Amino acid sequence: MNEFEKDEKMDKEETEGEIEEDEENGGDVEEDEENEELPEGEEFSELIKYTLPGYAIGLLAGIFLDLQGYQRSPVGQWIVRTLAGEGESIFEGIYSVRQRFRKAEGSMAEAYGWGKLFGLAVPWVIDLGSRLAGVDVYGIQGFYIPYFYALSDQIGANISGLLFLRRKEGAWKAGLNRYVRHPVMLASLFVITLVPLGLFAARFLGFSPTTQTFTALETIAANLCWVPPLMGWLHEKYR
């Protein structure tokens, strides 16, 4: 057998091996393209577990401050709302930082965590500005303050997720196309638009966060940030 025949035989064996490997892995082109549309490697289960500790710490802080006589302390409300509304964001931000140090491949979950971390300080500015402007933070007109404590990080996460999809797809049109089919992004958008209506309705019906415990409970009720990661986890599990 000459050299040409040997090379031809080797090429044929390699081709046959690749075909067999594709068949073993279910390597169907259409299936691969379908899987491309699904958010792979997004460890949203890592993010879900951070929510309950934030709730618990915020509620305990509210009860403790009430017992100490700081029911209407602005600083106390800042602490309680930050813990109850953004406690999980701190943990999720740590998760994203850890992913970067591990040099892990970029994922939607990591982008989501970064967005929440960067949104942390927004409600602090809104809260302080509202008090300085004379807004009644305990009345109907102050309903938006717990909203931003609970969901400014969610807004940041939604924007960060959209930018991640745009960067991954290479164009805004393709990124938006993925966005409107992504369960986490759609759940996030739903939460962002629904919660302020609930907060306004509660204040309209007479609820007022006149104690730190009520402040914590109001913020916890508004903090539905666990819903989008849950949708991502369910999508990963049952897809």
Side-chain angles (χ1 to χ4, degrees), residues 59-73 80 210-216:
L59 184 57
L60 290 174
I63 295 172
F64 174 77
L65 289 170
D66 282 342
L67 292 174
Q68 300 302 313
Y70 298 111
Q71 287 87 350
R72 292 204 176 199
S73 166
V80 170
T210 52
T211 68
Q212 302 296 357
T213 303
F214 284 167
T215 297

Side-chain angles (χ1 to χ4, degrees), residues 33 68 81 106 122 143 196 204 225 238:
E33 290 178 352
Q68 300 302 313
R81 283 186 171 135
V122 173
F143 80 96
F204 181 79
C225 291
Y238 295 110

